[in-house]
Amino acid sequence: MKITSAEFVKSAFERSHWVADGRPEVAFLGRSNVGKSSLINSLLARRGLARTSNTPGRTQSINFFLINDQFYFADLPGYGYAKVAKTMRADWGKMAEEYLAERDELRLCVQLVDARHEPSKLDRQLNEWLIHYKKPHIVVATKSDKLSRNELQKSLKVIRQTFDASATLAYSSQTAAGRDELWSRILESVGQR
């Protein structure tokens, strides 16, 4: 995929802030600290476009990025970070669920899970929600470069068994392994193929 332009457009803290030009959207969702921002930066071959942080739970809004002036990436708040106030966690969950449930422009949900760990209860709940509401999605196992080839295969087997109704692929933001395959799914979803 040739990226001719990638720009941060806005942060949305409520529905009225969502972009409203009708372009297709691809949502990235997963636990805090799963590497959403790193994956987005890796996909776009841009350093620092999506802000990364060593503090999980930093993204508190839906951040929209316009890609090639044709479609958006929507970076949703991470879930499951215990040190965030429960009221704030509830607000994030409500905002994310409203976006996922009601967004007509949404073409693909990219659910990120950490390849180094067995999927959490929240990961499983999100996946069940995506399946129940028939949302087009793919599960991406991030940080695959942190595991040996053998460890990665074992991890992917567990992830695929856990999410047996979902397509799954491994990804490394460091080495870009899985990048072409993920781009292929994204472009297909937004009608670019």
Side-chain angles (χ1 to χ4, degrees):
M1 167 70 186
K2 183 172 183 183
I3 309 299
T4 56
S5 65
E7 61 180 293
F8 169 75
V9 175
K10 63 163 49 180
S11 293
F13 292 89
E14 58 187 56
R15 186 181 189 132
S16 64
H17 299 157
W18 295 351
V19 292
D21 59 18
R23 289 182 176 102
E25 297 170 15
V26 176
F28 293 83
L29 34 143
R31 289 180 62 84
S32 296
N33 209 26
V34 75
K36 286 193 310 300
S37 298
S38 296
L39 181 137
I40 290 170
N41 289 333
S42 168
L43 275 174
L44 299 173
R46 300 279 198 280
R47 276 201 169 145
L49 182 64
R51 292 200 182 136
T52 59
S53 171
N54 290 330
T55 307
R58 272 287 164 92
T59 303
Q60 300 175 20
S61 57
I62 300 175
N63 295 318
F64 290 95
F65 302 88
L66 181 59
I67 314 304
N68 288 356
D69 205 33
Q70 295 174 335
F71 57 92
Y72 288 100
F73 280 179
D75 182 10
L76 273 67
Y79 54 82
Y81 187 59
K83 290 187 180 176
V84 175
K86 284 185 180 176
T87 53
M88 196 176 275
R89 268 193 309 213
D91 287 346
W92 294 355
K94 185 174 176 244
M95 178 177 55
E97 185 168 352
E98 180 182 29
Y99 173 83
L100 294 171
E102 301 178 20
R103 192 65 169 157
D104 292 334
E105 293 82 358
L106 184 58
R107 299 292 183 267
L108 180 67
C109 296
V110 180
Q111 180 183 2
L112 279 60
V113 296
D114 191 324
R116 300 170 301 173
H117 307 291
E118 193 169 320
S120 71
K121 179 181 178 184
L122 290 171
D123 292 328
R124 292 191 304 273
Q125 286 174 342
L126 173 60
N127 190 260
E128 288 165 9
W129 189 95
L130 292 171
I131 291 166
H132 178 78
Y133 288 100
K134 299 179 172 61
K135 297 295 176 183
H137 67 281
I138 184 168
V139 175
V140 175
T142 62
K143 306 183 183 186
S144 64
D145 56 287
K146 309 283 189 201
L147 299 173
S148 70
R149 185 181 302 248
N150 191 34
E151 290 170 332
L152 179 59
Q153 292 312 311
K154 287 179 183 175
S155 175
L156 286 174
K157 183 177 181 182
V158 170
I159 290 168
R160 288 181 174 130
Q161 287 172 342
T162 303
F163 305 123
D164 61 348
S166 304
T168 306
L169 67 91
Y171 194 96
S172 167
S173 296
Q174 298 298 314
T175 67
R179 185 175 188 264
D180 290 345
E181 189 178 349
L182 183 52
W183 263 121
S184 178
R185 293 299 296 265
I186 289 169
L187 293 174
E188 186 180 313
S189 74
V190 298
Q192 298 288 312
R193 283 220 151 175

